[in-house]
Structures are given as C-alpha cells and as structure tokens.
Amino acid sequence: MNEKQVVLGIELGSTRIKAVTVDHRHVPVSSGDHTWASSYESGVRTYSFDEVWQGLKAALAGLEGRENICAMGVSAMMHGYLAFDKDWNLLAPFRTWQNTITGPAAAELTALFGFNIPQRWSIAHLYQALLEVEKTAVGLL
C-alpha cells in the first residue's frame, strides 16, 4: 500500500450505513453515512435490497478520493441471515437481529444441544423458518 492508497471499511448497521477510508498509517481520511430504519413486513423486521443499495450509494458519496481505494472490508448486523438461490436471488426477507419471533426454534435447539441458543442468533432464525414451513422459500427441499 502506497501513501496515496486508502482502505475502505463499510458497516451495515441497524440504524446507519457507514463508510470510512483510512490511510497507510491507519488514520481516517474520509467518511460518509446514511441513516435508515428497518421496516415491519409480514411479521418480520427487515430491510429491502433497494434500501441497502440507496444507503450504500449515499454513504460512499460522502467519501473523498474513492479512486485511491486499494482494499475494502464489510461488516454488518450480527445475528441475522439472508437466504439466496444459486443465482443469488433473495428467497426470504432478510431476518435481522431485531426479530424475536424465534422462541420455539430457540427452545428446541437449546434442548437439543444442551446449550442456550438465544432467539436472535442466526441459527434460531433459520430453524424457525424451517418450523414455519419456509423450506421451499429458502430452497431447502
């Protein structure tokens, strides 16, 4: 990495999408962000892909020197999941950490593994989808 190059970090948080570039000394150079909120659709807290792209573009627009980006990293909300088919089509709404609809799955998994599986963990969301016969929606049949 030379002195002109920067590294981009993107974070898809539950209330904001943030983008920041840092230089070779790990000093922040530029940043941008976009405020957003989940929506409640069919009993699930989720974000649409359109919102993701709009927010990402807005956050990146706040950055200076984008032509100097040489590497990037992305982080996002923990304890959620996205289910895609082989062609990357979204098969079910994005399940975020904000959902607490996984009580039956969390209880069953806790009993099965003998270890506390919280409602907000990704495995609880996935297993709850199976319990609710979303198998065909997430391509598991």
Side-chain angles (χ1 to χ4, degrees):
M1 185 169 154
N2 67 40
E3 290 184 14
K4 287 190 173 197
Q5 292 176 314
V6 294
V7 174
L8 169 64
I10 296 172
E11 205 273 323
L12 299 162
S14 58
T15 60
R16 287 188 311 143
I17 297 174
K18 299 164 281 290
V20 64
T21 55
V22 296
D23 66 16
H24 67 285
R25 297 176 313 260
H26 308 286
V27 174
V29 174
S30 186
S31 65
D33 71 330
H34 174 76
T35 301
W36 67 343
S38 62
S39 58
Y40 191 69
E41 299 174 19
S42 302
V44 176
R45 286 256 163 228
T46 189
Y47 297 84
S48 74
F49 265 176
D50 287 340
E51 290 178 281
V52 173
W53 288 119
Q54 290 170 355
L56 188 55
K57 287 178 184 177
L60 292 173
L63 297 177
E64 299 173 10
R66 290 187 303 269
E67 67 279 0
N68 296 322
I69 295 170
C70 67
M72 68 177 275
V74 179
S75 70
M77 287 173 263
M78 60 182 172
H79 308 316
Y81 83 92
L82 292 161
F84 297 93
D85 68 12
K86 65 179 179 62
D87 297 315
W88 291 98
N89 296 305
L90 186 63
L91 296 172
F94 169 41
R95 303 296 202 254
T96 76
W97 66 271
Q98 298 164 313
N99 291 294
T100 55
I101 58 174
T102 60
E108 256 188 68
L109 292 169
T110 295
L112 178 67
F113 292 110
F115 179 83
N116 181 42
I117 305 295
Q119 286 191 47
R120 295 182 182 203
W121 279 14
S122 301
I123 189 62
H125 283 279
L126 179 59
Y127 190 54
Q128 188 67 42
L130 293 174
L131 292 176
E132 293 174 6
V133 193
E134 281 187 21
K135 290 185 264 190
T136 54
V138 295
L140 296 174
L141 281 181

